[in-house]
Amino acid sequence: MSNVFLFSYICLFLIVVINSYMTITIYRKALIRKSKDYLHENERGIPNNTVFPILNFRTLDEKAFNIVDLDKKGTIVLFTSITCDACKSLYPTLNTFVKKHKHINFLLLIASDSITNVKQMLSEYDLNDVPTSHLSAKDASILESSIYPFGYYLKPDGTVNYKGVVNKGDLELLLRLGFLEAS
């Protein structure tokens, strides 16, 4: 009878050790995810170290916007869609972000079937001071834009330096990672 108890204690000990190992492994993975130093989907879109396919845009207020600007430290191009709920959570933070980072160019490209809808949305979120352009289906195809919200950090010469899905709070991360990759 004592052999059965000894065997059961050994089995119980092994179960506890395996369970502890699995718990520690899961906890470590959760910590790694929490200390996020990357943007999701950063393999999508225009490849890094490639010149952005369109360098000149016309904003909705009919101003010319050139991505190549050697006087700035780079450009953030943010792709959003009028129907994207995640994008709507970003809009309230954009004015503050653009004003805080004057050393960076910023361009908001909004996909929609109607420029009128884009202008209404800009008014709704008070984004009239944020350089914005309408993203047509043709331009979305050229710019390999199929996921929203998606952001690019471009070097001053218009070369893609970092990119990925940008959710609320990720604009600072995009900026930081873009600077890190540039240095």
Side-chain angles (χ1 to χ4, degrees):
M1 195 70 150
S2 69
N3 286 339
V4 172
F5 284 118
L6 182 61
F7 179 72
S8 66
Y9 283 125
I10 291 173
C11 288
L12 183 60
F13 177 75
L14 289 174
I15 290 172
V16 168
V17 168
I18 292 170
N19 191 18
S20 297
Y21 175 77
M22 290 174 54
T23 302
I24 290 169
T25 303
I26 291 170
Y27 181 71
R28 283 185 180 163
K29 285 183 181 179
L31 282 178
I32 289 170
R33 279 191 206 123
K34 203 172 196 177
S35 66
K36 180 176 146 183
D37 276 344
Y38 65 94
L39 293 175
H40 291 286
E41 305 290 342
N42 57 17
E43 71 283 351
R44 288 186 178 239
I46 300 158
N48 287 345
N49 300 314
T50 303
V51 175
F52 206 67
I54 302 175
L55 297 174
N56 296 300
F57 291 87
R58 176 112 0 236
T59 62
L60 293 177
D61 57 358
E62 295 301 319
K63 293 181 182 170
F65 186 95
N66 189 348
I67 285 179
V68 175
D69 188 347
L70 301 177
D71 293 333
K72 300 280 184 164
K73 292 189 177 182
T75 301
I76 288 183
V77 180
L78 182 63
F79 290 80
T80 65
S81 172
I82 199 104
T83 59
C84 167
D85 288 332
C87 301
K88 291 175 185 173
S89 70
L90 277 173
Y91 296 142
T93 66
L94 293 182
N95 276 326
T96 306
F97 182 85
V98 170
K99 288 176 185 170
K100 180 179 174 184
H101 299 287
K102 294 198 180 282
H103 60 286
I104 297 289
N105 269 336
F106 188 89
L107 178 64
L108 177 62
L109 296 174
I110 302 176
S112 174
D113 55 354
S114 161
I115 293 177
T116 305
N117 291 342
V118 173
K119 288 181 178 180
Q120 287 174 344
M121 195 268 319
L122 289 175
S123 293
E124 180 183 337
Y125 288 96
D126 193 28
L127 294 174
N128 295 317
D129 294 334
V130 176
T132 305
S133 185
H134 176 253
L135 182 64
S136 67
K138 178 185 171 193
D139 288 345
S141 175
I142 293 170
L143 297 171
E144 301 179 34
S145 165
S146 61
I147 187 167
Y148 305 105
F150 196 85
Y152 287 91
Y153 179 89
L154 309 175
K155 295 177 191 175
D157 65 359
T159 304
V160 174
N161 204 44
Y162 198 81
K163 61 193 171 170
V165 172
V166 180
N167 291 306
K168 187 176 180 181
D170 287 343
L171 281 171
E172 293 289 342
L173 181 61
L174 175 64
L175 182 61
R176 184 170 57 85
L177 293 172
F179 276 140
L180 284 176
E181 295 287 324
S183 22

